[in-house]
Amino acid sequence: MKDNYDINNYTYDMDRCIGCKGCVWVDHVYMPGVRYGVKCPSNAYKLFDGYAPMGREKIGKALLEGRIDYTPEYLDVMYMCQLCGACDAGCKRNLDLEPLSVLESLRVKAVKDGKGPMPAHKKVAQNIAEKGNRYGAAEKRSGWITKDTKISDKADMVYFPGCSASYVEKGIAQATGKILNKAGINFMTLGDKDTCCGHPVATSGMLDEAKAIARKNIDILKATGATTLVTSCAECYNTWKVIYPKMLSKNFADMGYQVIHLVEVVSKLVNEGKFTFSKPMNIRAAYHDPCRMARQGEPWVEWEGTRGQWGILTPKKEYRRGTFGVYQQPRDILNKIQGLDLVEMPRMKENAFCCGAGGGVMDAYPDFAMWAATERLTEVQSVAAEAVISACPYCKKVFNEASKANNMNIKAYDITEIILACM
Ligand code: SF4
Ligand code: SF4
């Protein structure tokens, strides 16, 4: 069986990197100017190309060829990266190389070689192994469920809230439950078997542990008989739709379940006229595309074959270029809310700048995460918006923390809370 996280699958991609920086700069046709022209947070933070995809590829290649060895600096280079995928969508615009798979696989190699992940990642993985959640919280995971939330014992749809909405941003899980109730959609949860999706374990490179979580979660879902899993978290969405099949070397289409984000459920109903908003919300807000369900939201497509002359692949590979991520659905919803003035930031959709929290950066490099969130908030200010709306609890959390720390007076919302407030 092909190992999609084996770095040896990607030496062609590392060799063929031409240093064009299409992975770093916003696509030129969309670039409004230099100020918001860079989309790679780590390159913008460190101002050094070693902390950009092409630098990481060359440094990783040097490690594979034995020209350098592991050092603390090497590990910083590999882990000071949100795995946001902006580089991947950028590189595939011209060259169809796989920088994101390279970055993920170099982390997996670091763990296999006994050098990674960073201590903070080990602590999060320990929390998940011992308590079933990334925070190490001892309370019951179902604490978000209110008396007026109707949860079925048996349904075709399972709501998977994820760690953050279960413990830290409970309002998002509560809003999701109420929205599904109002839409008349029966749903169940995984009950006392509900646990972490394993996203932090997978992104830190702990492949064996992440695979074990994947197999367990998939078995739990299958035992319910449900065929659709709905999330309110971009990371959970990506984990079930991309990381699980990628780790298990299967097409997402063959996994036997569907994954859908709440915004996909609501936008469909809104566009069919079956879900309406009765209350206005008078704010001017920018929508932030969460990396994991936007440019990384396309399902995993398994490929196995050979590369011949001129790099031609046989059979043809179906690339995930980020074009068909969940971009329009949240905008369709927000545009239907009376009084809500939705504005676009210069970096949007495939070119969106990450909130800063992903890829284990919030755990291991919190200062960098806060810097990236602050940088994004200046972009919110640049379009004279007073609020930023996302569809992932991690974005909301880091934006609100950065706004508070810098007295920026920008409020971050999750889209589920906006929908609930306007129902
Ligand atoms: S866009 Fe691709 S080829 Fe160009 S520098 Fe980045 S990784 Fe290398
Ligand atoms: S995944 Fe994001 S942070 Fe990491 S190298 Fe690519 S663009 Fe930069």
Side-chain angles (χ1 to χ4, degrees):
M1 188 171 76
K2 188 182 162 217
D3 176 1
N4 288 312
Y5 287 87
D6 180 352
I7 190 63
N8 294 309
N9 291 323
Y10 306 108
T11 49
Y12 175 91
D13 305 78
M14 296 160 92
D15 278 337
R16 293 305 184 284
C17 168
I18 55 170
C20 63
K21 292 187 86 169
C23 47
V24 166
W25 292 96
V26 171
D27 289 340
H28 302 137
V29 284
Y30 302 122
M31 196 193 285
V34 174
R35 174 61 187 94
Y36 296 112
V38 170
K39 60 187 171 186
C40 169
S42 56
N43 193 227
Y45 182 60
K46 297 296 274 189
L47 296 175
F48 184 59
D49 285 348
Y51 289 83
M54 71 275 193
R56 292 187 169 102
E57 286 172 327
K58 292 187 194 331
I59 292 166
K61 195 78 204 307
L63 184 92
L64 293 185
E65 291 170 355
R67 287 184 280 123
I68 60 168
D69 203 352
Y70 285 102
T71 59
E73 290 76 20
Y74 176 92
L75 292 174
D76 273 346
V77 163
M78 294 309 162
Y79 282 100
M80 281 191 88
C81 155
Q82 281 85 358
L83 298 179
C84 70
C87 51
D88 205 68
C91 188
K92 286 176 179 149
R93 187 165 161 78
N94 289 322
L95 287 158
D96 269 344
L97 302 178
E98 301 272 11
L100 184 59
S101 286
V102 170
L103 301 173
E104 291 170 341
S105 303
L106 285 171
R107 290 190 183 189
V108 168
K109 178 174 169 51
V111 172
K112 281 195 177 142
D113 291 343
K115 307 295 179 183
M118 305 307 277
H121 301 142
K122 288 182 188 160
K123 175 74 183 112
V124 172
Q126 189 186 353
N127 287 342
I128 293 167
E130 290 173 2
K131 307 278 188 202
N133 67 81
R134 61 174 298 148
Y135 301 107
E139 307 93 75
K140 274 173 76 176
R141 207 172 166 90
S142 56
W144 63 269
I145 300 172
T146 56
K147 284 200 182 95
D148 56 349
T149 308
K150 215 169 75 200
I151 299 177
S152 303
D153 293 331
K154 189 94 187 137
D156 194 41
M157 180 182 277
V158 161
Y159 172 46
F160 187 85
C163 297
S164 281
S166 297
Y167 291 102
V168 180
E169 296 284 351
K170 290 184 190 177
I172 295 175
Q174 287 159 354
T176 303
K178 289 185 178 132
I179 293 163
L180 290 172
N181 285 165
K182 140 106 180 163
I185 296 171
N186 282 338
F187 72 96
M188 60 190 289
T189 66
L190 296 177
D192 57 5
K193 297 205 167 51
D194 190 27
T195 184
C196 176
C197 67
H199 190 90
V201 181
T203 54
S204 69
M206 300 172 72
L207 190 59
D208 293 341
E209 293 83 348
K211 273 187 191 172
I213 295 172
R215 290 197 178 100
K216 192 169 155 213
N217 274 340
I218 292 166
D219 286 349
I220 291 169
L221 177 66
K222 294 218 165 137
T224 67
T227 57
T228 301
L229 184 126
V230 66
T231 79
S232 51
C233 169
E235 291 199 348
C236 298
Y237 180 87
N238 178 264
T239 307
W240 284 85
K241 194 170 179 181
V242 180
I243 296 179
Y244 285 178
K246 182 175 179 182
M247 286 194 300
L248 302 175
S249 303
K250 285 174 90 166
N251 275 317
F252 173 66
D254 300 328
M255 292 296 284
Y257 58 80
Q258 269 307 320
V259 180
I260 188 164
H261 190 282
L262 185 81
V263 297
E264 294 175 279
V265 178
V266 175
S267 67
K268 185 167 181 290
L269 295 172
V270 162
N271 290 335
E272 290 169 355
K274 294 178 184 159
F275 194 103
T276 52
F277 297 106
S278 53
K279 292 183 200 155
M281 179 169 278
N282 294 313
I283 52 167
R284 181 174 164 96
Y287 179 70
H288 166 82
D289 292 282
C291 312
R292 263 74 184 174
M293 68 181 244
R295 60 188 161 229
Q296 290 193 47
E298 294 170 358
W300 178 254
V301 182
E302 187 66 10
W303 177 84
E304 192 156 10
T306 52
R307 200 182 272 282
Q309 200 179 13
W310 314 118
I312 292 168
L313 298 172
T314 312
K316 207 172 153 198
K317 183 171 183 176
E318 197 177 315
Y319 282 98
R320 297 169 56 251
R321 298 191 176 91
T323 314
F324 303 107
V326 183
Y327 298 118
Q328 195 53 42
Q329 296 89 333
R331 290 170 169 84
D332 282 351
I333 294 169
L334 296 171
N335 275 322
K336 284 279 188 325
I337 295 174
Q338 215 193 332
L340 199 155
D341 184 9
L342 184 66
V343 284
E344 292 290 356
M345 286 184 274
R347 291 173 289 193
M348 58 163 164
K349 300 185 178 175
E350 289 98 321
N351 291 298
F353 194 80
C354 175
C355 74
V361 169
M362 192 61 178
D363 301 312
Y365 303 97
D367 290 351
F368 171 32
M370 288 294 276
W371 175 87
T374 308
E375 160 70 5
R376 188 63 161 156
L377 291 179
T378 65
E379 200 174 345
V380 175
Q381 285 178 326
S382 81
V383 292
E386 61 198 292
V388 58
I389 302 169
S390 186
C392 183
Y394 295 102
C395 305
K396 181 191 166 192
K397 185 168 177 292
V398 71
F399 282 146
N400 277 330
E401 284 172 10
S403 177
K404 195 169 164 213
N406 296 291
N407 292 317
M408 292 177 92
N409 203 22
I410 296 173
K411 180 109 173 80
Y413 296 96
D414 189 84
I415 191 165
T416 53
E417 299 164 314
I418 301 277
I419 296 169
L420 179 67
C422 300
M423 275 177 1

